């Protein structure tokens, strides 16, 4: 690959602004919802799906439901989006606060990662 093109692509990647927020894996049949903070919602959905598919997810209840009903038993969504300006800044405190608010609003919901 051309070094200039590589440098350009790397700069674009480093300056991208991925969607950040709270992701939800909802299992409607049992009215169970699993929430988690995300600095890149698309990547985190893929990561969780991969771990579930490999039977290696840290949330045992979520894994049990996935094993029994599969991906089609779940609804996936981003329930809150974080508005931010600096993609390089640490947004973990803001995301944690958003997660706490979401968990308080839905008493049935639990964290994806315990």
């Amino acid at each position: 690959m051309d070094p200039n093109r590589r440098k350009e692509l790397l700069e674009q990647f480093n300056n991208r602004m991925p969607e950040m927020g709270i992701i939800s894996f909802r299992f409607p049949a049992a009215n169970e919802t699993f929430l988690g903070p995300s600095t890149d919602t698309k990547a985190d959905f893929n990561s969780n799906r991969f771990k579930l598919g490999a039977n290696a997810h840290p949330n045992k209840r979520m894994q049990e439901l996935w094993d029994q009903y599969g991906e089609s038993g779940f609804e996936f969504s981003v329930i809150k989006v974080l508005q931010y300006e600096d993609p390089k800044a640490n947004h973990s405190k803001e995301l944690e606060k958003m997660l706490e608010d979401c968990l308080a609003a839905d008493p049935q919901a639990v964290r994806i990662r315990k």
Side-chain angles (χ1 to χ4, degrees):
M1 177 181 283
D2 176 42
N4 290 331
R5 177 70 177 142
R6 183 173 191 271
K7 183 178 178 180
E8 177 186 330
L9 290 173
L10 187 57
E11 187 172 320
Q12 285 176 3
F13 179 80
N14 288 332
N15 292 322
R16 71 188 177 95
M17 293 194 53
E19 181 179 64
M20 293 188 194
I22 304 302
I23 60 172
S24 169
F25 282 72
R26 180 162 157 43
F27 185 72
N31 197 28
E32 293 187 51
T33 304
F34 304 90
L35 304 177
S38 174
T39 56
D40 185 336
T41 59
K42 290 178 184 169
D44 285 337
F45 276 126
N46 288 337
S47 174
N48 279 285
R49 282 185 179 128
F50 178 80
K51 289 174 188 174
L52 289 162
N55 197 27
H57 200 278
N59 187 309
K60 298 306 175 200
R61 176 63 181 154
M62 197 168 153
Q63 184 69 60
E64 288 171 9
L65 292 170
W66 187 275
D67 291 344
Q68 189 170 1
Y69 299 98
E71 183 172 351
S72 63
F74 285 84
E75 296 172 353
F76 312 99
S77 63
V78 178
I79 59 172
K80 278 203 172 183
V81 175
L82 177 67
Q83 302 299 320
Y84 66 98
E85 301 210 6
D86 183 2
K88 295 177 183 171
N90 183 347
H91 299 286
S92 58
K93 287 182 182 177
E94 297 158 284
L95 289 167
E96 189 61 32
K97 171 72 170 105
M98 286 176 74
L99 177 60
E100 291 301 325
D101 292 345
C102 292
L103 290 168
D106 183 356
Q108 301 286 49
V110 297
R111 293 174 177 268
I112 289 176
R113 291 187 181 86
K114 296 184 176 189

